[in-house]
Amino acid sequence: MKNNLKELIKYGIYGCITTGINLGLFVLFKKIGMYYLIANTVSYIIAVIINYILNRKYVFVTTGNTKQQIKEEFMKFVGVRCASLVLDNILFYFVVDILKVNVYIGRVCLSVGIILCTFVINKIFVFKIVEDIPV
């Protein structure tokens, strides 16, 4: 339980950093005139790559250390994130174009939900957790 809490806190810290990068890039891309869904997609892809590196290095202790295992882990991570990007863009369109919520407010609200969902999926599906690590 203690390790899960520690892991969740670290995930939250690095998730905030990655979300800050994602939101900062989104605002930048919007300011230079990019359509909001394209800006969301580009900023999301950049943030996902950074997030994988941070999660693998600092959050989840994994058993995959060979090049093949890391490649498989990365592909799972990207697959999960691609699915979440599709869902995110659909919800983003709904929130902004149908519900008429401000694009920035909508982006922040959806980010919170995506972060929570991807933590659970990453923990269960992507990163193979080492249970018996001496502390």
Side-chain angles (χ1 to χ4, degrees):
M1 179 70 173
K2 187 177 181 182
N3 284 339
N4 286 336
L5 181 59
K6 185 177 175 183
E7 187 176 76
L8 181 60
I9 290 169
K10 288 194 296 187
Y11 185 84
I13 290 168
Y14 292 109
C16 286
I17 291 168
T18 305
T19 300
I21 292 168
N22 185 0
L23 295 174
L25 289 171
F26 176 75
V27 169
L28 174 69
F29 295 149
K30 278 286 295 150
K31 286 188 185 249
I32 64 171
M34 233 184 237
Y35 178 64
Y36 78 95
L37 290 176
I38 294 172
N40 186 57
T41 301
V42 174
S43 63
Y44 192 89
I45 290 168
I46 294 167
V48 162
I49 293 167
I50 294 167
N51 190 253
Y52 173 78
I53 293 166
L54 293 174
N55 277 318
R56 183 157 215 305
K57 187 166 180 152
Y58 300 112
V59 178
F60 298 106
V61 178
T62 68
T63 58
N65 291 317
T66 68
K67 286 183 182 182
Q68 182 63 30
Q69 289 169 324
I70 292 169
K71 180 181 173 185
E72 289 173 13
E73 186 180 82
F74 180 73
M75 295 311 291
K76 285 182 188 177
F77 187 84
V78 168
V80 167
R81 292 308 179 106
C82 285
S84 70
L85 175 60
V86 169
L87 178 62
D88 184 58
N89 275 339
I90 290 168
L91 292 172
F92 202 17
Y93 173 81
F94 179 76
V95 166
V96 172
D97 285 349
I98 307 299
L99 298 179
K100 304 297 183 195
V101 173
N102 175 280
V103 69
Y104 300 108
I105 293 171
R107 177 65 272 139
V108 170
C109 292
L110 288 171
S111 291
V112 171
I114 294 294
I115 288 168
L116 295 174
C117 291
T118 56
F119 171 77
V120 173
I121 294 168
N122 282 333
K123 182 166 177 59
I124 294 169
F125 177 68
V126 176
F127 296 101
K128 302 293 185 223
I129 306 304
V130 176
E131 296 298 334
D132 299 320
I133 298 175
V135 181

